[in-house]
Amino acid sequence: MAERPEHEDWRDEDEADDGPFEIEPPHDEPDGSEYGLGPVASAGGAGARPPVATAVAGDDDDDDGPDRPDPSLWMIQPGWPRELPALYLGLALGAVAMVIAGVNAERAVIVTALLTVLMTWMTAALGVVSLHLTAWFTVRTFNEPMRGATRMLVVSSLFVLLTVCRWPVPGRIVDYLIAILAYGVSLVVLFRLPRYETLVLGSIHLGLWLVLQTLFAMVRHTAAPV
């Protein structure tokens, strides 16, 4: 094999002479444009794509948590009756009870009518207190106080109305039994709670009503002339 001369310039004649060292120009990095992908940004550089959020099991803020009460544990069920219809119905029943109490009164008609109105509103207020106590005892959420108060006004007005009526049956106890029966039916229809919660609510409310009746009887006995 023939050896190349020691100092022979074996490069092509057309190639430019860059001196004793030939510096190769840097090659451009592939930017993906030839594939229709656009320029690829370096990590953390300008124009970098935002990281894709991945869902983590048990880390969804939209799920029901301790800050969002469970609808199955609501004290006041949604739907009818709404606040205004219940308020109008309760006021109407209270007005009828006031008129009937005044008509059946043997004396002090106006005072008896006013006391009936006071008894109706105080019974409704005790019903709201009973809702709070029932929610506490049964670990339920008193979710809509206004709607619960108007529904309790309907129940209390109907109860007081039936207690002031004079049914054509012997014995005053029958009037209260009819009123308690209607109270229980209205409580089930308006609040639509399970049996246990309904019994707790009705027992607390009627118990507070008996305490209120006892206080009224003591006041009347004290104020009556000897």
Side-chain angles (χ1 to χ4, degrees), residues 119-207:
M119 176 64 68
T120 301
W121 284 95
M122 293 188 69
T123 304
L126 292 178
V128 176
V129 175
S130 303
L131 287 173
H132 281 283
L133 293 177
T134 303
W136 185 70
F137 282 120
T138 60
V139 199
R140 279 188 170 264
T141 302
F142 191 9
N143 51 317
E144 295 189 21
M146 184 59 66
R147 182 172 295 188
T150 53
R151 291 181 184 181
M152 191 55 71
L153 177 62
V154 175
V155 175
S156 302
S157 299
L158 178 62
F159 177 74
V160 174
L161 170 62
L162 294 178
T163 57
V164 298
C165 291
R166 296 293 185 267
W167 301 101
V169 289
R172 184 73 173 129
I173 189 64
V174 178
D175 300 339
Y176 286 102
L177 290 178
I178 294 175
I180 292 175
L181 179 61
Y183 169 85
V185 173
S186 61
L187 202 67
V188 172
V189 171
L190 294 181
F191 287 93
R192 300 183 294 278
L193 292 171
R195 183 181 304 174
Y196 173 71
E197 282 84 351
T198 303
L199 290 175
V200 172
L201 176 59
S203 300
I204 294 176
H205 193 190
L206 290 178

Side-chain angles (χ1 to χ4, degrees), residues 82-93:
R82 299 186 180 277
E83 290 87 348
L84 285 180
L87 178 62
Y88 294 152
L89 180 58
L91 292 176
L93 292 175

Side-chain angles (χ1 to χ4, degrees), residues 107 219-226:
R107 57 181 182 178
V219 170
R220 285 196 298 267
H221 178 73
T222 304
V226 180

